[in-house]
Amino acid sequence: MLSKKTKYGIKALTYLAKQENRIPVQISTISKSESISQKFLESILLTLRKSGMLGSKKGKSGGYYLLKDPNNIVMVEVMRVLEGPIALVPCVSLNFYEKCHDCPDEKACSVHNLMLEVRDSMLKVLNDKTLADFI
Amino acid sequence: MLSKKTKYGIKALTYLAKQENRIPVQISTISKSESISQKFLESILLTLRKSGMLGSKKGKSGGYYLLKDPNNIVMVEVMRVLEGPIALVPCVSLNFYEKCHDCPDEKACSVHNLMLEVRDSMLKVLNDKTLADFI
DNA sequence: TTAATCCCTATCGGAATAGTAGATTTAATT
DNA sequence: AATTAAATCTACTATTCCGATAGGGATTAA
């Protein structure tokens, strides 16, 4: 299941991408428009800022705005930043690999092989989709 | 992330599919071979029996065995029985559909549209793979 | 100076996960 | 018939994670 964090994050990014210009939008504005708990959204936007997708402006009439062009915000990156690994098991993860301690031979493991294919099929979609596709 | 329940379930099914004949295998045997907590495995095998994939025999020299041919045990069904919905959000689930209460228009929702494609790509793999592929 | 806004840390309740314990039922073997 | 080994069923527990909340602190435009 997708966490609400990721769900809200994608919605917020879409909202920002739909803005005509790149002037800062307040958290409260997005929170109301997308009916997201404001405090929760706050922490999500902070994460996205740290990852380099968003910029922010402090103080009065501050807010968040896209740093990159929507074409260059690939959904796989959004997922990795907010949700974590794409793979459903650590032993097939590209960016968060971890060996199964109970698995003597990955090549012979049915779970490993199945999830490898699932991962690849997901990546095919997520590597292709960008924020621009949702404007 | 895939739950251990599903992971163990797939491993146990694979183990049973690899047996030459269809005589019952004890839980303890599978549990040792695959290093799975026996009691936990117990409840998993019970679930798989109720779903019709496994048969069981009680009493001495009892155990679990495959009911169907490995070719007819499709991984998408295993996943649905043990893990639940394939879709990452309920609003794109085929078997467990639920409307998002915060989403006025699914067609216009970026999360919905993205996850729709992810689901389809996953289904393409899971509908195709059967237990027989892992023997 | 003030008010609005981002930034940061801490906490909390509830749900889900993974596993445990023990009693019961069933069936093969002696 | 008694014994034994196995699945079955119910209930419980510990831990972790998620979503949300609370309360300031820092920053900046007006």
Side-chain angles (χ1 to χ4, degrees):
Chain A
M1 275 294 152
L2 199 74
S3 66
K4 297 218 170 166
K5 190 174 173 186
T6 307
K7 180 180 165 186
Y8 293 164
I10 294 175
K11 285 198 164 198
L13 283 171
T14 308
Y15 185 94
L16 290 172
K18 280 179 177 163
Q19 301 301 305
E20 296 289 329
N21 37 42
R22 291 287 108 102
I23 59 165
V25 180
Q26 287 91 28
I27 297 176
S28 64
T29 309
I30 306 175
S31 134
K32 274 170 204 154
S33 160
E34 305 294 319
S35 25
I36 303 171
S37 143
Q38 175 162 346
K39 278 289 195 179
F40 192 26
L41 182 58
E42 217 176 288
S43 70
I44 296 167
L45 294 178
L46 204 57
T47 306
L48 290 172
R49 185 186 64 80
K50 284 177 182 163
S51 81
M53 293 181 218
L54 296 183
S56 67
K57 200 182 157 198
K58 285 186 181 180
K60 201 165 179 177
S61 74
Y64 283 94
Y65 50 93
L66 281 193
L67 267 185
K68 299 190 197 172
D69 187 275
N71 277 299
N72 294 326
I73 300 188
V74 187
M75 294 319 287
V76 74
E77 199 200 334
V78 178
M79 289 283 287
R80 288 208 177 103
V81 166
L82 295 174
E83 191 75 10
I86 306 300
L88 296 184
V89 282
C91 71
V92 300
S93 176
L94 295 172
N95 293 257
F96 302 81
Y97 176 84
E98 238 175 280
K99 193 180 175 330
C100 288
H101 59 290
D102 60 333
C103 187
D105 181 12
E106 286 186 354
K107 282 207 200 82
C109 175
S110 49
V111 177
H112 180 86
N113 289 315
L114 179 63
M115 291 305 141
L116 205 59
E117 295 208 34
V118 172
R119 182 207 68 188
D120 283 341
S121 78
M122 292 174 80
L123 281 183
K124 213 176 289 174
V125 173
L126 295 173
N127 273 321
D128 200 55
K129 283 273 166 186
T130 72
L131 246 203
D133 295 318
F134 303 129
I135 303 181
Chain B
M1 277 293 153
L2 199 72
S3 66
K4 298 218 169 165
K5 189 175 174 186
T6 306
K7 181 181 165 185
Y8 294 164
I10 294 175
K11 286 196 163 200
L13 283 171
T14 308
Y15 185 95
L16 290 173
K18 279 180 179 164
Q19 301 302 305
E20 295 289 330
N21 36 42
R22 290 288 107 101
I23 60 166
V25 180
Q26 285 93 30
I27 297 175
S28 64
T29 308
I30 306 175
S31 135
K32 275 170 204 154
S33 161
E34 305 295 318
S35 25
I36 302 170
S37 144
Q38 175 163 346
K39 277 292 195 177
F40 192 26
L41 181 59
E42 217 175 286
S43 70
I44 296 168
L45 293 177
L46 204 57
T47 307
L48 290 172
R49 186 185 66 81
K50 283 177 183 163
S51 82
M53 290 181 221
L54 296 184
S56 69
K57 198 184 159 198
K58 283 190 181 179
K60 200 164 180 177
S61 75
Y64 283 95
Y65 51 92
L66 281 192
L67 268 184
K68 299 190 198 171
D69 187 275
N71 277 300
N72 294 326
I73 300 189
V74 187
M75 295 318 288
V76 74
E77 200 200 334
V78 179
M79 289 283 288
R80 288 207 176 104
V81 166
L82 295 174
E83 191 76 8
I86 306 299
L88 296 183
V89 283
C91 71
V92 300
S93 175
L94 294 173
N95 292 257
F96 302 81
Y97 177 83
E98 236 175 282
K99 193 180 177 327
C100 288
H101 60 288
D102 60 333
C103 186
D105 181 12
E106 286 187 354
K107 283 208 199 79
C109 174
S110 49
V111 177
H112 179 86
N113 289 315
L114 179 63
M115 291 305 140
L116 205 59
E117 294 208 35
V118 172
R119 182 207 68 188
D120 283 340
S121 78
M122 293 174 80
L123 281 182
K124 214 175 288 173
V125 173
L126 294 173
N127 273 321
D128 201 54
K129 282 274 167 187
T130 72
L131 246 202
D133 294 319
F134 302 129
I135 304 181

